[in-house]
Amino acid sequence: MAPSDRYPAALLGLFVAIFIALAIAPWYRQDWLLENLLVFVAVPLLVVNYRRLRFSNFAYTCLFVFFVLHEIGAHYTYSEVPWREWLAALTGGDAAAPAGRNHYDRVVHFAYGLLLMPAVRELMAARMPAQGLWRWLMPVLFVMSHSVIYELVEWAAAVMFGGDLGVAYLGTQGDVWDAQKDMALAAAGAVCGLLLTELRSTATENG
């Protein structure tokens, strides 16, 4: 293994370990399977295409963080991730206080745009370089289009399976504008991710 391959390989190995740990006794096995369709497709594609399109270590790190956040959501279901209890344990706060809506899914939708952007930016630079305004628009539109597709898949799965499984997978928690808010957060994350990626690239070039 070349020295340059060790970091991505280490991230892959660590993710596999986390995946296996969180695959043990998830709260709702059927929902876990549905949520992990994304992982079952995306991770093998990244591995198979590693030699043809190698992303930067920074991009792989961002992808790793996103996939770990997703696996946590898949283990508990997004609407039941006990992040409040974890926060209370860390801060000594009151975990029994009125909770309201669980916003873990909102955080991950924002993280989708933010953390995928470095890889998306590198993908576009390698396969479809754009000039002028399109250099900024295409990465954001690319992420937004995938966010729309994901919401359509959620809708189709909820209609197909129905019942408690459909409700758990959809995760609207009673919010009729859930899909629109999720897509808006992914778009906002993409814009922030693009700006941060460009700033990082400029700082690296000037440094």
Side-chain angles (χ1 to χ4, degrees):
M1 180 185 295
S4 61
D5 296 335
R6 290 174 185 167
Y7 183 76
L11 284 182
L12 178 62
L14 181 57
F15 175 73
V16 169
I18 293 171
F19 177 87
I20 292 172
L22 292 175
I24 298 172
W27 286 20
Y28 305 97
R29 175 63 69 183
Q30 289 180 307
D31 181 68
W32 179 88
L33 287 169
L34 285 176
E35 296 286 2
N36 274 294
L37 290 177
L38 167 68
V39 176
F40 296 150
V41 173
V43 173
L45 280 176
L46 287 170
V47 173
V48 169
N49 290 291
Y50 176 77
R51 296 299 176 191
R52 283 176 286 184
L53 180 61
R54 189 199 187 286
F55 295 114
S56 67
N57 286 347
F58 176 69
Y60 282 124
T61 302
C62 290
L63 290 172
F64 168 79
V65 173
F66 171 74
F67 281 124
V68 170
L69 291 174
H70 176 71
E71 284 307 312
I72 293 170
H75 178 84
Y76 294 99
T77 77
Y78 274 90
S79 60
E80 297 183 37
V81 173
W83 64 269
R84 295 184 182 90
E85 288 81 352
W86 300 339
L87 184 62
L90 289 173
T91 62
D94 183 8
R101 189 190 194 280
N102 190 319
H103 288 288
Y104 185 81
D105 64 324
R106 301 271 196 248
V107 172
V108 177
H109 277 282
F110 180 83
Y112 178 79
L114 179 70
L115 297 174
L116 262 68
M117 183 53 69
V120 169
R121 188 72 187 81
E122 292 174 19
L123 170 66
M124 298 228 159
R127 294 289 186 266
M128 52 187 91
Q131 302 296 322
L133 182 62
W134 290 107
R135 181 170 175 268
W136 296 87
L137 281 178
M138 289 303 294
V140 173
L141 294 176
F142 183 85
V143 172
M144 290 176 66
S145 68
H146 284 86
S147 179
V148 172
I149 292 170
Y150 185 78
E151 294 298 330
L152 291 174
V153 169
E154 275 194 340
W155 171 42
V159 171
M160 181 183 302
F161 295 105
D164 293 339
L165 177 57
V167 172
Y169 184 59
L170 202 57
T172 61
Q173 301 183 63
D175 187 350
V176 296
W177 300 109
D178 181 74
Q180 289 84 351
K181 291 175 182 177
D182 289 347
M183 289 185 287
L185 283 167
V191 171
C192 292
L194 181 59
L195 293 174
L196 291 173
T197 300
E198 290 294 327
L199 288 172
R200 182 178 181 275
S201 177
T202 301
T204 301
E205 290 174 0
N206 294 336

